[in-house]
Amino acid sequence: MSHARATHLTRRGLLAAGGALGLGAALAACGDDKGADGGSGGSKGAGKSGPWSYKDDRGTTVKLDKAPANIVAFTGVGAALYDYGIQVKGVFGPTKTTAGKPDVQAGDMDISKVTILGNAWGQFNIEKYASLAPDVLITTMFDGTGTLWYVPEESKKKIDQLAPSVGISVYDRQLTQPLQRMWDLAESLGADMKAAKVTDAKKRFEDAAARLRAAAKAKPDLKVMVGSASDQLFYVSGSNLSIDLEYFKSLGVNFVEPSEAAKQKNGGGGWYEALSWENVDKYGADIIMMDDRSQAIQPADLTKATWKKLPAVKAGQVIPRSPEPILSYDKCVPLLTNLAEALEKAKKVS
């Protein structure tokens, strides 16, 4: 791997939605442009007639003669649209685990009904993308420059020539903002936003937010540390920049906050501090939220002695965290509920 490629990963790949990919995982994810095979299905739900337009978070307005039917999206975006009744035709990004099961970022999508253009960082099969005759490409953005998530920089020009793109920002704002943006996008694509399933999910989200606010208020002294594990390093995320953590903080959750200087070291880019496993006890924490994505080592698989000695681990006060939330109200309810329940049950151990 070239030094330039490694630097690129440090700057963008490693920030990984505020949770850190983990250096080993990120470098392992450097693939070619060969996507994995999958089935293909048309975009159901795009039933609106007449011209279609949507202004994305870059300020770019995409205009088409009719609502796009052949939608290609980042996996998590496809999962969010699926919850609103919109079936995308192709996806790119973590979709299938090594065991062949749906990745956590695929949500409830039937991955056998979408064409997978790439399953890891750097993978995007342009030929397969072209064969889908895409009307639009939709993904998220994790920086302030309009960089499209999981669209390889080296292939961007070719990809742009095949279809217009829509970017939804998930950078330095609270979760409720991109949730509303995805809601508006789904509605523009013909989703029935008055369907009971949709309105019920939004109500459950609002109720879960109220529960988390109450739980945080009741136990303001409990410290929550947000981590992601790789073989060599443990990453501690600060609450700024990440949409979920910024929102939880606004509800009163008391997070461990690495200093800005610490978050800039080792390619952290302001998102996280990288700790050696010998120093994993640097911060006192009563609850630990751990990156649930497939590229991170999961708590059940952590054998580091220093990890097992952490008070929160010994107390069983470790819960999952989704650094790249699926932007539907249905999928975000558990994020709030899990943290609220953890706060309600947790004891002060730090």
Side-chain angles (χ1 to χ4, degrees):
M1 178 184 301
S2 70
H3 175 71
R5 179 62 170 161
T7 302
H8 171 72
L9 277 168
T10 299
R11 190 177 72 251
R12 287 189 52 242
L14 284 185
L15 63 85
L21 279 172
L23 189 57
L27 298 180
C30 292
D32 54 23
D33 284 345
K34 295 177 181 178
D37 285 320
S40 63
S43 301
K44 299 175 183 177
K48 286 195 173 183
S49 59
W52 179 84
S53 68
Y54 186 82
K55 185 176 182 179
D56 76 358
D57 290 333
R58 297 170 296 181
T60 300
T61 300
V62 177
K63 296 182 179 181
L64 299 173
D65 292 338
K66 60 181 179 179
N70 293 345
I71 300 170
V72 173
F74 174 70
T75 301
V77 171
L81 291 175
Y82 181 87
D83 285 351
Y84 291 129
I86 305 294
Q87 173 70 55
V88 303
K89 196 169 185 179
V91 294
F92 54 94
T95 308
K96 184 187 296 186
T97 67
T98 52
K101 296 180 179 180
D103 187 273
V104 64
Q105 295 192 64
D108 291 333
M109 276 196 306
D110 183 344
I111 62 173
S112 70
K113 293 184 177 180
V114 293
T115 297
I116 302 173
L117 304 177
N119 200 56
W121 185 264
Q123 293 181 355
F124 194 109
N125 190 311
I126 298 175
E127 292 75 19
K128 199 169 288 186
Y129 179 53
S131 74
L132 297 177
D135 294 319
V136 68
L137 178 150
I138 309 172
T139 187
T140 48
M141 300 182 297
F142 280 91
D143 61 26
T145 67
T147 304
L148 298 178
W149 191 234
Y150 267 78
V151 174
E153 287 294 322
E154 61 272 20
S155 310
K156 186 177 182 298
K157 288 185 178 179
K158 291 182 180 179
I159 293 168
D160 284 346
Q161 290 171 358
L162 294 169
S165 59
V166 167
I168 303 295
S169 180
V170 288
Y171 174 75
D172 196 17
R173 61 202 62 205
Q174 293 183 20
L175 176 62
T176 45
Q177 187 174 344
L179 268 174
Q180 184 61 50
R181 294 291 283 145
M182 190 63 70
W183 174 288
D184 294 341
L185 177 60
E187 186 173 33
S188 79
L189 293 169
D192 181 3
M193 309 313 283
K194 294 182 180 179
K197 177 184 176 182
V198 174
T199 57
D200 287 353
K202 190 170 185 179
K203 177 63 166 60
R204 287 188 291 108
F205 178 89
E206 292 165 352
D207 291 344
R211 179 182 176 184
L212 179 54
R213 186 188 296 275
K217 186 177 181 180
K219 295 184 177 179
D221 60 330
L222 291 186
K223 296 286 288 185
V224 180
M225 182 167 68
V226 181
S228 184
S230 72
D231 185 56
Q232 299 297 320
L233 297 169
F234 183 82
Y235 304 91
V236 180
S237 291
S239 65
N240 63 323
L241 302 184
S242 299
I243 57 173
D244 59 332
L245 305 185
E246 285 199 12
Y247 183 53
F248 300 159
K249 186 177 181 179
S250 78
L251 296 175
V253 177
N254 184 11
F255 286 108
V256 167
E257 299 283 4
S259 69
E260 287 304 312
K263 289 187 294 182
Q264 292 295 339
K265 291 176 64 177
N266 301 318
W271 292 84
Y272 61 84
E273 177 182 2
L275 298 175
S276 67
W277 282 103
E278 288 76 17
N279 296 316
V280 74
D281 60 353
K282 177 178 179 179
Y283 299 105
D286 304 294
I287 296 170
I288 303 176
M289 300 177 70
M290 291 293 287
D291 188 342
D292 69 355
R293 293 170 299 173
S294 55
Q295 63 261 43
I297 300 176
Q298 298 305 300
D301 298 319
L302 280 172
T303 58
K304 307 285 187 182
T306 49
W307 164 260
K308 293 182 177 182
K309 290 179 181 177
L310 293 177
V313 176
K314 292 169 73 174
Q317 295 175 178
V318 179
I319 63 171
R321 178 221 174 190
S322 300
E324 296 182 58
I326 294 172
L327 297 172
S328 72
Y329 286 101
D330 179 71
K331 293 299 178 292
C332 288
V333 169
L335 311 185
L336 296 162
T337 303
N338 290 345
L339 182 52
E341 184 176 346
L343 285 168
E344 290 163 355
K345 293 181 177 179
K347 297 179 181 178
K348 184 72 178 174
V349 295
S350 65

